[in-house]
Structures are given as structure tokens and as C-alpha cells.
Amino acid sequence: QVELVESGGGSVQAGGSLRLSCAASGSYARCMAWFRRAPGKDREEVGRLYADSPGRLGDAVKARFTISRDNAADTLYLQMNDLTPEDTAWYTCAAGFSWSSANCYDSSFGFAFWGRGTQVVVSS
């Protein structure tokens, strides 16, 4: 089992930055990801990362966001820069047991563990 606790959300003006954290406890899950759900929209993946690899981000954010992980602290981060109102969403961390980076980065990979999320509000 993996327990995930997100933090770092809040309200910020457009152009600002936030850093989200996802602290994991329990078993070590190599594959972790950030998802978000904007009001009235479907959940979308922001990015995912396998172990200590560089990670992959979605096209909508890859020029502005960075995903990283501190394996010693077992914490996943999402550095968000140049935020826009379109980034307003509930951000949730997810984790899953994966045996390889290929397995983790496969779009069909299923994340078994989810945090409760943290809200990000970006005002114009």
C-alpha cells in the first residue's frame, strides 16, 4: 500500500508560480504522476515519472512545468511556472507499482494509489 498526501496548492495570480508536493509513505512505488481536473472538465494527466528518470509532461504544460522526485524523501514535486487561469484545477498525485520505465510510461498503465489532491486557483 502507498499513501499519498499532496500539499502546496493555493491561489495565485496569472504569471505566478507554485510548487506542489506529494509525500508518499508505505511501499515504494516507482511510477508516480500528477493529474488535474478543471471545473467542468475531465481529468487530465499533467505528467508522470519513473523512479529517478526525468519524467514526461503533457504538451499543455511542458514548457512551464517541471516534474521531479526526491527518492530519499519519497516525494514527488510539480513546479509550475507562468501559471494561467486555464491551470485552475484540483491537482491529484497518483502512484503505482511498475517494473520498468516502459511499463510506467505506457498510456495504459493503471495507477493504483491516489491522494486526495490540492486545489490550484489562478486568477487573471
Side-chain angles (χ1 to χ4, degrees):
Q1 292 290 329
V2 180
E3 182 177 346
L4 304 170
V5 180
E6 300 94 335
S7 61
S11 297
V12 64
Q13 288 191 326
S17 298
L18 284 173
R19 188 194 196 200
L20 305 184
S21 299
C22 172
S25 60
S27 299
Y28 178 74
R30 289 184 173 86
C31 193
M32 298 187 73
W34 286 102
F35 289 82
R36 68 182 182 183
R37 186 189 296 273
K41 295 186 177 181
D42 292 334
R43 185 179 66 195
E44 68 169 336
E45 179 176 335
V46 179
R48 67 176 67 181
L49 179 151
Y50 176 78
D52 57 356
S53 71
R56 297 181 183 178
L57 291 160
D59 289 341
V61 303
K62 62 183 180 182
R64 302 179 292 120
F65 292 7
T66 301
I67 188 170
S68 63
R69 183 173 185 172
D70 182 339
N71 281 299
D74 206 2
T75 300
L76 182 72
Y77 300 101
L78 184 68
Q79 177 67 44
M80 306 186 295
N81 299 326
D82 195 20
L83 286 161
T84 73
E86 288 68 37
D87 295 314
T88 294
W90 192 263
Y91 286 72
T92 305
C93 174
F97 297 125
S98 173
W99 59 85
S100 71
S101 59
N103 173 244
C104 173
Y105 291 126
D106 189 294
S107 60
S108 65
F109 179 82
F111 292 92
F113 308 100
W114 295 81
R116 293 191 174 186
T118 185
Q119 187 175 35
V120 172
V121 178
V122 184
S123 58
S124 58

